Amino acid sequence: MRRTLITGGAGFLGSHICDRLIQEDHEVICLDNLITGRMDNVAHLLGHRAFHFIKLDVTEYLDIESPLDDVLHFASPASPVDYQRLPIQTLKVGSLGTHKALGLAKAKGARFLLASTSEVYGDPLVHPQREDYWGNVNPIGPRGVYDEAKRFAEAMTMAYHRYHGLETRIARIFNTYGPRMRPSDGRVVSNFINQALRGQPLTVYGDGSQTRSFCYVSDMVEGLYRLLVSDEVEPVNLGNPKEFTVIELAHLVLQATGSTSGIEFLSLPVDDPRVRQPDISLAGRRLGWAPAVEIAEGLALTIDYFRKQLRSSH
Ligand code: UDP
């Protein structure tokens, strides 16, 4: 049985990874300071003999007694609304937190996987984005706290690999959606679905012509697991290459929910990337991975989740 520690394990993506690791017979040590993670996401795992939860801020010293085979660093506010509300914590978890998690992996001789992001490409001048594109990031803009922290995290991870010989993996995760997103996390999929279900107008920022490419969470988890067990050291893009404008997404959500909500146009946030689409040919070649869940199916599953959440909150 492999023993795997995951930071941010009670978050949206982290908790789905915990489920997968348990399925794969790992013993899981889940760390989370619960700033944006939620116990609800892992409540079903709490009684499991192979699951351990520790409430901890990963920027503090990590004192884990048991041996570890893998350290997965997923802790960070990840939605623009969250990381702009928590700018210092975001910078700290990406920098100090990554350093602590790498130090722990080194001390245990464990494999390390970094949850990086498509935000390392910033507002990209190359489209779609391939791993060899260096990006176009405003270091002092409102998104810089996340983008630069993750860029630093990648640099630190490669340094541990090159200098200490640590086994490392870097996933550049593109927009991902699905059950366990927080209804108020501010991201476009969760906002639109919750607005549609509540009969409120869907808030489209700018004219809605900006694009994103949305990956359903089960596809993402499959890609992450394959990357973990691969021997791919350089960063790998993981995401669904099917690209939509934000306005197209609004119409898809209205259709899928059967909502009669209207659309409200609000101002575009500063530095909002104009386009985003992963080139996933590397993941295809090296991991034999490609997403399988179509947007209609993924939205239906996510809508179902938020419907239940809304019902239980009444
Ligand atoms: N967006 C929007 N309405 C919302 C939330 C987001 O139009 O209620 C837009 C946002 O400006 C961006 C895209 O949707 O262009 C994706 O935003 P999200 O916060 O989901 O993630 P990002 O890809 O920007 O990190």
Side-chain angles (χ1 to χ4, degrees):
M1 205 185 221
R2 285 183 80 85
R3 192 178 287 115
T4 301
L5 178 140
I6 177 166
T7 74
F12 160 54
L13 255 183
S15 65
H16 285 282
I17 295 164
C18 288
D19 286 342
R20 175 63 183 265
L21 292 170
I22 295 270
Q23 264 175 37
E24 301 284 346
D25 233 16
H26 290 232
E27 183 172 347
V28 176
I29 300 170
C30 169
L31 303 189
D32 208 301
N33 66 359
L34 302 176
I35 294 190
T36 59
R38 294 181 301 175
M39 282 316 285
D40 275 359
N41 290 342
V42 290
H44 60 290
L45 294 174
L46 284 178
H48 199 290
R49 64 181 168 79
F51 183 78
H52 315 278
F53 178 80
I54 304 174
K55 183 167 184 287
L56 194 75
D57 185 329
V58 65
T59 62
E60 313 277 324
Y61 182 66
L62 297 181
D63 187 14
I64 303 292
E65 272 182 23
S66 58
L68 293 171
D69 299 295
D70 318 281
V71 173
L72 277 49
H73 186 35
F74 277 73
S76 179
S79 106
V81 169
D82 285 339
Y83 59 68
Q84 289 172 42
R85 180 172 60 89
L86 302 162
I88 314 288
Q89 283 98 326
T90 302
L91 280 159
K92 281 175 73 180
V93 74
S95 54
L96 306 179
T98 303
H99 184 219
K100 292 280 186 295
L102 280 162
L104 179 67
K106 176 171 159 269
K108 303 288 182 182
R111 180 175 293 186
F112 178 84
L113 186 146
L114 174 69
S116 186
T117 169
S118 56
E119 283 281 322
V120 301
Y121 303 121
D123 191 3
L125 305 176
V126 169
H127 191 67
Q129 293 76 55
R130 251 178 32 181
E131 289 85 350
D132 56 7
Y133 176 48
W134 291 355
N136 177 38
V137 169
N138 175 2
I140 58 163
R143 301 175 82 102
V145 297
Y146 184 67
D147 303 7
E148 295 296 2
K150 290 289 189 182
R151 289 168 68 95
F152 174 90
E154 288 198 7
M156 188 65 126
T157 301
M158 290 309 292
Y160 265 69
H161 172 71
R162 294 193 181 113
Y163 189 77
H164 291 306
L166 194 71
E167 266 195 79
T168 56
R169 310 284 178 263
I170 298 175
R172 290 193 179 146
I173 299 171
F174 284 65
N175 295 64
T176 302
Y177 70 101
R180 301 187 194 158
M181 296 180 91
R182 287 184 358 263
S184 59
D185 86 348
R187 279 188 266 213
V188 68
V189 174
S190 41
N191 271 7
F192 283 179
I193 293 178
N194 282 283
Q195 290 160 346
L197 294 178
R198 293 179 171 131
Q200 298 164 350
L202 274 56
T203 53
V204 169
Y205 301 159
D207 63 4
S209 63
Q210 70 274 31
T211 69
R212 294 293 186 276
S213 310
F214 302 99
C215 186
Y216 188 66
V217 64
S218 59
D219 282 334
M220 181 56 63
V221 169
E222 179 65 31
L224 289 166
Y225 192 78
R226 288 189 189 205
L227 177 61
L228 176 67
V229 300
S230 76
D231 50 15
E232 199 58 36
V233 169
E234 302 275 318
V236 178
N237 286 341
L238 294 175
N240 190 321
K242 182 97 180 64
E243 185 182 16
F244 297 91
T245 63
V246 165
I247 199 84
E248 280 172 334
L249 178 74
H251 288 294
L252 285 171
V253 169
L254 288 176
Q255 207 176 28
T257 51
S259 168
T260 54
S261 287
I263 288 177
E264 181 182 10
F265 290 91
L266 300 177
S267 56
L268 190 68
V270 176
D271 292 342
D272 199 274
R274 284 295 312 153
V275 290
R276 182 180 291 154
Q277 181 189 31
D279 180 322
I280 55 164
S281 42
L282 185 67
R285 280 197 310 277
R286 303 287 170 81
L287 313 178
W289 175 84
V293 180
E294 298 286 342
I295 190 93
E297 190 188 341
L299 281 180
L301 293 164
T302 311
I303 289 165
D304 195 42
Y305 168 80
F306 281 125
R307 265 209 182 101
K308 286 184 185 133
Q309 293 278 302
L310 269 177
R311 256 187 242 126
S312 64
S313 69
H314 286 319

PDB file of all heavy atoms in Angstrom, residues 117-143:
ATOM      1  N   THR A 117      -0.903  25.342 -13.099  1.00  0.00           N
ATOM      2  CA  THR A 117      -2.106  25.937 -13.688  1.00  0.00           C
ATOM      3  C   THR A 117      -1.857  26.515 -15.073  1.00  0.00           C
ATOM      4  O   THR A 117      -0.739  26.936 -15.389  1.00  0.00           O
ATOM      5  CB  THR A 117      -2.590  27.086 -12.763  1.00  0.00           C
ATOM      6  OG1 THR A 117      -3.597  27.846 -13.429  1.00  0.00           O
ATOM      7  CG2 THR A 117      -1.464  28.036 -12.396  1.00  0.00           C
ATOM      8  N   SER A 118      -2.917  26.596 -15.846  1.00  0.00           N
ATOM      9  CA  SER A 118      -2.868  27.297 -17.130  1.00  0.00           C
ATOM     10  C   SER A 118      -2.593  28.781 -16.925  1.00  0.00           C
ATOM     11  O   SER A 118      -2.237  29.481 -17.882  1.00  0.00           O
ATOM     12  CB  SER A 118      -4.201  27.132 -17.852  1.00  0.00           C
ATOM     13  OG  SER A 118      -5.265  27.579 -17.029  1.00  0.00           O
ATOM     14  N   GLU A 119      -2.778  29.281 -15.707  1.00  0.00           N
ATOM     15  CA  GLU A 119      -2.494  30.702 -15.441  1.00  0.00           C
ATOM     16  C   GLU A 119      -1.015  31.035 -15.596  1.00  0.00           C
ATOM     17  O   GLU A 119      -0.663  32.203 -15.671  1.00  0.00           O
ATOM     18  CB  GLU A 119      -2.975  31.095 -14.043  1.00  0.00           C
ATOM     19  CG  GLU A 119      -4.472  31.300 -13.924  1.00  0.00           C
ATOM     20  CD  GLU A 119      -4.954  32.653 -14.451  1.00  0.00           C
ATOM     21  OE1 GLU A 119      -4.261  33.678 -14.272  1.00  0.00           O
ATOM     22  OE2 GLU A 119      -6.034  32.674 -15.058  1.00  0.00           O
ATOM     23  N   VAL A 120      -0.140  30.020 -15.630  1.00  0.00           N
ATOM     24  CA  VAL A 120       1.279  30.345 -15.887  1.00  0.00           C
ATOM     25  C   VAL A 120       1.431  30.941 -17.290  1.00  0.00           C
ATOM     26  O   VAL A 120       2.414  31.614 -17.559  1.00  0.00           O
ATOM     27  CB  VAL A 120       2.249  29.136 -15.718  1.00  0.00           C
ATOM     28  CG1 VAL A 120       2.182  28.572 -14.306  1.00  0.00           C
ATOM     29  CG2 VAL A 120       2.001  28.057 -16.750  1.00  0.00           C
ATOM     30  N   TYR A 121       0.443  30.710 -18.167  1.00  0.00           N
ATOM     31  CA  TYR A 121       0.488  31.299 -19.512  1.00  0.00           C
ATOM     32  C   TYR A 121      -0.088  32.710 -19.539  1.00  0.00           C
ATOM     33  O   TYR A 121      -0.003  33.394 -20.562  1.00  0.00           O
ATOM     34  CB  TYR A 121      -0.260  30.413 -20.515  1.00  0.00           C
ATOM     35  CG  TYR A 121       0.251  28.986 -20.590  1.00  0.00           C
ATOM     36  CD1 TYR A 121      -0.582  27.905 -20.329  1.00  0.00           C
ATOM     37  CD2 TYR A 121       1.583  28.734 -20.920  1.00  0.00           C
ATOM     38  CE1 TYR A 121      -0.113  26.596 -20.395  1.00  0.00           C
ATOM     39  CE2 TYR A 121       2.050  27.428 -20.982  1.00  0.00           C
ATOM     40  CZ  TYR A 121       1.201  26.368 -20.714  1.00  0.00           C
ATOM     41  OH  TYR A 121       1.670  25.090 -20.776  1.00  0.00           O
ATOM     42  N   GLY A 122      -0.726  33.139 -18.441  1.00  0.00           N
ATOM     43  CA  GLY A 122      -1.276  34.490 -18.351  1.00  0.00           C
ATOM     44  C   GLY A 122      -2.317  34.746 -19.426  1.00  0.00           C
ATOM     45  O   GLY A 122      -3.160  33.889 -19.708  1.00  0.00           O
ATOM     46  N   ASP A 123      -2.260  35.945 -20.016  1.00  0.00           N
ATOM     47  CA  ASP A 123      -3.131  36.299 -21.149  1.00  0.00           C
ATOM     48  C   ASP A 123      -2.325  35.904 -22.392  1.00  0.00           C
ATOM     49  O   ASP A 123      -1.493  36.675 -22.868  1.00  0.00           O
ATOM     50  CB  ASP A 123      -3.417  37.807 -21.104  1.00  0.00           C
ATOM     51  CG  ASP A 123      -4.510  38.208 -22.084  1.00  0.00           C
ATOM     52  OD1 ASP A 123      -5.089  37.332 -22.755  1.00  0.00           O
ATOM     53  OD2 ASP A 123      -4.773  39.419 -22.194  1.00  0.00           O
ATOM     54  N   PRO A 124      -2.531  34.697 -22.905  1.00  0.00           N
ATOM     55  CA  PRO A 124      -1.542  34.109 -23.813  1.00  0.00           C
ATOM     56  C   PRO A 124      -1.487  34.753 -25.188  1.00  0.00           C
ATOM     57  O   PRO A 124      -2.514  35.105 -25.772  1.00  0.00           O
ATOM     58  CB  PRO A 124      -2.002  32.646 -23.918  1.00  0.00           C
ATOM     59  CG  PRO A 124      -3.450  32.670 -23.594  1.00  0.00           C
ATOM     60  CD  PRO A 124      -3.671  33.813 -22.649  1.00  0.00           C
ATOM     61  N   LEU A 125      -0.280  34.887 -25.704  1.00  0.00           N
ATOM     62  CA  LEU A 125      -0.071  35.415 -27.052  1.00  0.00           C
ATOM     63  C   LEU A 125       0.093  34.276 -28.053  1.00  0.00           C
ATOM     64  O   LEU A 125       0.254  34.501 -29.245  1.00  0.00           O
ATOM     65  CB  LEU A 125       1.166  36.321 -27.074  1.00  0.00           C
ATOM     66  CG  LEU A 125       1.141  37.464 -26.042  1.00  0.00           C
ATOM     67  CD1 LEU A 125       2.438  38.257 -26.058  1.00  0.00           C
ATOM     68  CD2 LEU A 125      -0.054  38.384 -26.298  1.00  0.00           C
ATOM     69  N   VAL A 126       0.084  33.052 -27.559  1.00  0.00           N
ATOM     70  CA  VAL A 126       0.171  31.865 -28.407  1.00  0.00           C
ATOM     71  C   VAL A 126      -1.086  31.045 -28.132  1.00  0.00           C
ATOM     72  O   VAL A 126      -1.462  30.852 -26.974  1.00  0.00           O
ATOM     73  CB  VAL A 126       1.428  31.033 -28.037  1.00  0.00           C
ATOM     74  CG1 VAL A 126       1.406  29.678 -28.710  1.00  0.00           C
ATOM     75  CG2 VAL A 126       2.693  31.798 -28.384  1.00  0.00           C
ATOM     76  N   HIS A 127      -1.727  30.561 -29.187  1.00  0.00           N
ATOM     77  CA  HIS A 127      -3.019  29.895 -28.991  1.00  0.00           C
ATOM     78  C   HIS A 127      -3.167  28.736 -29.961  1.00  0.00           C
ATOM     79  O   HIS A 127      -2.937  28.939 -31.152  1.00  0.00           O
ATOM     80  CB  HIS A 127      -4.135  30.926 -29.212  1.00  0.00           C
ATOM     81  CG  HIS A 127      -5.485  30.425 -28.791  1.00  0.00           C
ATOM     82  ND1 HIS A 127      -5.799  30.175 -27.476  1.00  0.00           N
ATOM     83  CD2 HIS A 127      -6.594  30.135 -29.512  1.00  0.00           C
ATOM     84  CE1 HIS A 127      -7.056  29.751 -27.403  1.00  0.00           C
ATOM     85  NE2 HIS A 127      -7.550  29.711 -28.618  1.00  0.00           N
ATOM     86  N   PRO A 128      -3.530  27.535 -29.537  1.00  0.00           N
ATOM     87  CA  PRO A 128      -3.653  27.086 -28.147  1.00  0.00           C
ATOM     88  C   PRO A 128      -2.297  27.076 -27.439  1.00  0.00           C
ATOM     89  O   PRO A 128      -1.261  27.243 -28.091  1.00  0.00           O
ATOM     90  CB  PRO A 128      -4.224  25.671 -28.298  1.00  0.00           C
ATOM     91  CG  PRO A 128      -3.904  25.247 -29.670  1.00  0.00           C
ATOM     92  CD  PRO A 128      -3.812  26.478 -30.513  1.00  0.00           C
ATOM     93  N   GLN A 129      -2.326  26.843 -26.132  1.00  0.00           N
ATOM     94  CA  GLN A 129      -1.089  26.904 -25.357  1.00  0.00           C
ATOM     95  C   GLN A 129      -0.425  25.538 -25.284  1.00  0.00           C
ATOM     96  O   GLN A 129      -1.044  24.554 -24.909  1.00  0.00           O
ATOM     97  CB  GLN A 129      -1.379  27.401 -23.916  1.00  0.00           C
ATOM     98  CG  GLN A 129      -1.854  28.841 -23.851  1.00  0.00           C
ATOM     99  CD  GLN A 129      -3.309  28.988 -24.290  1.00  0.00           C
ATOM    100  OE1 GLN A 129      -4.172  28.331 -23.746  1.00  0.00           O
ATOM    101  NE2 GLN A 129      -3.571  29.841 -25.283  1.00  0.00           N
ATOM    102  N   ARG A 130       0.867  25.554 -25.661  1.00  0.00           N
ATOM    103  CA  ARG A 130       1.685  24.348 -25.519  1.00  0.00           C
ATOM    104  C   ARG A 130       2.626  24.541 -24.345  1.00  0.00           C
ATOM    105  O   ARG A 130       2.921  25.676 -23.975  1.00  0.00           O
ATOM    106  CB  ARG A 130       2.514  24.157 -26.791  1.00  0.00           C
ATOM    107  CG  ARG A 130       2.032  22.987 -27.617  1.00  0.00           C
ATOM    108  CD  ARG A 130       2.786  22.792 -28.886  1.00  0.00           C
ATOM    109  NE  ARG A 130       4.201  23.169 -28.821  1.00  0.00           N
ATOM    110  CZ  ARG A 130       5.027  23.092 -29.857  1.00  0.00           C
ATOM    111  NH1 ARG A 130       4.586  22.653 -31.020  1.00  0.00           N
ATOM    112  NH2 ARG A 130       6.295  23.460 -29.744  1.00  0.00           N
ATOM    113  N   GLU A 131       3.150  23.439 -23.829  1.00  0.00           N
ATOM    114  CA  GLU A 131       3.982  23.511 -22.623  1.00  0.00           C
ATOM    115  C   GLU A 131       5.243  24.342 -22.836  1.00  0.00           C
ATOM    116  O   GLU A 131       5.808  24.864 -21.878  1.00  0.00           O
ATOM    117  CB  GLU A 131       4.364  22.110 -22.145  1.00  0.00           C
ATOM    118  CG  GLU A 131       3.212  21.293 -21.550  1.00  0.00           C
ATOM    119  CD  GLU A 131       2.385  20.543 -22.584  1.00  0.00           C
ATOM    120  OE1 GLU A 131       2.561  20.786 -23.803  1.00  0.00           O
ATOM    121  OE2 GLU A 131       1.555  19.701 -22.167  1.00  0.00           O
ATOM    122  N   ASP A 132       5.707  24.466 -24.094  1.00  0.00           N
ATOM    123  CA  ASP A 132       6.953  25.217 -24.310  1.00  0.00           C
ATOM    124  C   ASP A 132       6.708  26.721 -24.450  1.00  0.00           C
ATOM    125  O   ASP A 132       7.643  27.483 -24.668  1.00  0.00           O
ATOM    126  CB  ASP A 132       7.742  24.664 -25.498  1.00  0.00           C
ATOM    127  CG  ASP A 132       6.930  24.626 -26.776  1.00  0.00           C
ATOM    128  OD1 ASP A 132       5.785  25.146 -26.788  1.00  0.00           O
ATOM    129  OD2 ASP A 132       7.425  24.079 -27.784  1.00  0.00           O
ATOM    130  N   TYR A 133       5.467  27.168 -24.310  1.00  0.00           N
ATOM    131  CA  TYR A 133       5.179  28.610 -24.303  1.00  0.00           C
ATOM    132  C   TYR A 133       5.451  29.170 -22.905  1.00  0.00           C
ATOM    133  O   TYR A 133       4.994  28.611 -21.911  1.00  0.00           O
ATOM    134  CB  TYR A 133       3.718  28.843 -24.719  1.00  0.00           C
ATOM    135  CG  TYR A 133       3.305  30.296 -24.635  1.00  0.00           C
ATOM    136  CD1 TYR A 133       4.106  31.303 -25.180  1.00  0.00           C
ATOM    137  CD2 TYR A 133       2.121  30.669 -23.995  1.00  0.00           C
ATOM    138  CE1 TYR A 133       3.746  32.634 -25.086  1.00  0.00           C
ATOM    139  CE2 TYR A 133       1.745  31.993 -23.906  1.00  0.00           C
ATOM    140  CZ  TYR A 133       2.571  32.972 -24.447  1.00  0.00           C
ATOM    141  OH  TYR A 133       2.199  34.297 -24.340  1.00  0.00           O
ATOM    142  N   TRP A 134       6.193  30.304 -22.839  1.00  0.00           N
ATOM    143  CA  TRP A 134       6.617  30.826 -21.533  1.00  0.00           C
ATOM    144  C   TRP A 134       5.593  31.746 -20.880  1.00  0.00           C
ATOM    145  O   TRP A 134       5.747  32.134 -19.731  1.00  0.00           O
ATOM    146  CB  TRP A 134       7.965  31.560 -21.658  1.00  0.00           C
ATOM    147  CG  TRP A 134       9.095  30.639 -21.960  1.00  0.00           C
ATOM    148  CD1 TRP A 134       9.060  29.277 -22.024  1.00  0.00           C
ATOM    149  CD2 TRP A 134      10.446  31.020 -22.249  1.00  0.00           C
ATOM    150  NE1 TRP A 134      10.296  28.778 -22.342  1.00  0.00           N
ATOM    151  CE2 TRP A 134      11.163  29.829 -22.486  1.00  0.00           C
ATOM    152  CE3 TRP A 134      11.116  32.247 -22.345  1.00  0.00           C
ATOM    153  CZ2 TRP A 134      12.526  29.831 -22.808  1.00  0.00           C
ATOM    154  CZ3 TRP A 134      12.461  32.254 -22.658  1.00  0.00           C
ATOM    155  CH2 TRP A 134      13.158  31.053 -22.881  1.00  0.00           C
ATOM    156  N   GLY A 135       4.586  32.150 -21.639  1.00  0.00           N
ATOM    157  CA  GLY A 135       3.501  32.878 -21.002  1.00  0.00           C
ATOM    158  C   GLY A 135       3.616  34.389 -21.074  1.00  0.00           C
ATOM    159  O   GLY A 135       4.635  34.949 -21.467  1.00  0.00           O
ATOM    160  N   ASN A 136       2.534  35.032 -20.682  1.00  0.00           N
ATOM    161  CA  ASN A 136       2.410  36.493 -20.746  1.00  0.00           C
ATOM    162  C   ASN A 136       1.661  36.941 -19.492  1.00  0.00           C
ATOM    163  O   ASN A 136       0.458  37.116 -19.497  1.00  0.00           O
ATOM    164  CB  ASN A 136       1.632  36.859 -22.018  1.00  0.00           C
ATOM    165  CG  ASN A 136       1.381  38.344 -22.146  1.00  0.00           C
ATOM    166  OD1 ASN A 136       2.249  39.149 -21.798  1.00  0.00           O
ATOM    167  ND2 ASN A 136       0.210  38.715 -22.630  1.00  0.00           N
ATOM    168  N   VAL A 137       2.423  37.065 -18.402  1.00  0.00           N
ATOM    169  CA  VAL A 137       1.815  37.318 -17.091  1.00  0.00           C
ATOM    170  C   VAL A 137       2.172  38.725 -16.617  1.00  0.00           C
ATOM    171  O   VAL A 137       3.316  39.151 -16.749  1.00  0.00           O
ATOM    172  CB  VAL A 137       2.313  36.271 -16.056  1.00  0.00           C
ATOM    173  CG1 VAL A 137       1.928  36.662 -14.640  1.00  0.00           C
ATOM    174  CG2 VAL A 137       1.761  34.889 -16.386  1.00  0.00           C
ATOM    175  N   ASN A 138       1.178  39.432 -16.074  1.00  0.00           N
ATOM    176  CA  ASN A 138       1.429  40.716 -15.423  1.00  0.00           C
ATOM    177  C   ASN A 138       1.777  40.434 -13.955  1.00  0.00           C
ATOM    178  O   ASN A 138       0.905  40.079 -13.165  1.00  0.00           O
ATOM    179  CB  ASN A 138       0.164  41.576 -15.528  1.00  0.00           C
ATOM    180  CG  ASN A 138       0.314  42.868 -14.758  1.00  0.00           C
ATOM    181  OD1 ASN A 138       1.366  43.153 -14.178  1.00  0.00           O
ATOM    182  ND2 ASN A 138      -0.742  43.669 -14.746  1.00  0.00           N
ATOM    183  N   PRO A 139       3.045  40.613 -13.568  1.00  0.00           N
ATOM    184  CA  PRO A 139       3.423  40.208 -12.211  1.00  0.00           C
ATOM    185  C   PRO A 139       2.757  41.033 -11.123  1.00  0.00           C
ATOM    186  O   PRO A 139       2.551  40.540 -10.014  1.00  0.00           O
ATOM    187  CB  PRO A 139       4.946  40.408 -12.189  1.00  0.00           C
ATOM    188  CG  PRO A 139       5.261  41.328 -13.310  1.00  0.00           C
ATOM    189  CD  PRO A 139       4.191  41.139 -14.339  1.00  0.00           C
ATOM    190  N   ILE A 140       2.398  42.300 -11.424  1.00  0.00           N
ATOM    191  CA  ILE A 140       1.847  43.163 -10.368  1.00  0.00           C
ATOM    192  C   ILE A 140       0.345  43.377 -10.502  1.00  0.00           C
ATOM    193  O   ILE A 140      -0.247  44.127  -9.746  1.00  0.00           O
ATOM    194  CB  ILE A 140       2.573  44.533 -10.332  1.00  0.00           C
ATOM    195  CG1 ILE A 140       2.460  45.222 -11.693  1.00  0.00           C
ATOM    196  CG2 ILE A 140       4.036  44.359  -9.917  1.00  0.00           C
ATOM    197  CD1 ILE A 140       2.765  46.702 -11.630  1.00  0.00           C
ATOM    198  N   GLY A 141      -0.289  42.710 -11.439  1.00  0.00           N
ATOM    199  CA  GLY A 141      -1.745  42.819 -11.587  1.00  0.00           C
ATOM    200  C   GLY A 141      -2.446  41.979 -10.528  1.00  0.00           C
ATOM    201  O   GLY A 141      -1.807  41.235  -9.785  1.00  0.00           O
ATOM    202  N   PRO A 142      -3.791  42.085 -10.467  1.00  0.00           N
ATOM    203  CA  PRO A 142      -4.533  41.368  -9.433  1.00  0.00           C
ATOM    204  C   PRO A 142      -4.407  39.842  -9.520  1.00  0.00           C
ATOM    205  O   PRO A 142      -4.518  39.145  -8.520  1.00  0.00           O
ATOM    206  CB  PRO A 142      -5.984  41.805  -9.652  1.00  0.00           C
ATOM    207  CG  PRO A 142      -6.023  42.422 -11.016  1.00  0.00           C
ATOM    208  CD  PRO A 142      -4.659  42.920 -11.316  1.00  0.00           C
ATOM    209  N   ARG A 143      -4.155  39.316 -10.726  1.00  0.00           N
ATOM    210  CA  ARG A 143      -4.013  37.861 -10.854  1.00  0.00           C
ATOM    211  C   ARG A 143      -2.585  37.409 -10.581  1.00  0.00           C
ATOM    212  O   ARG A 143      -2.307  36.205 -10.474  1.00  0.00           O
ATOM    213  CB  ARG A 143      -4.430  37.396 -12.264  1.00  0.00           C
ATOM    214  CG  ARG A 143      -5.860  37.762 -12.611  1.00  0.00           C
ATOM    215  CD  ARG A 143      -6.187  37.396 -14.047  1.00  0.00           C
ATOM    216  NE  ARG A 143      -6.544  36.014 -14.207  1.00  0.00           N
ATOM    217  CZ  ARG A 143      -7.793  35.566 -14.338  1.00  0.00           C
ATOM    218  NH1 ARG A 143      -8.807  36.381 -14.332  1.00  0.00           N
ATOM    219  NH2 ARG A 143      -8.033  34.293 -14.496  1.00  0.00           N
TER     220      ARG A 143
END
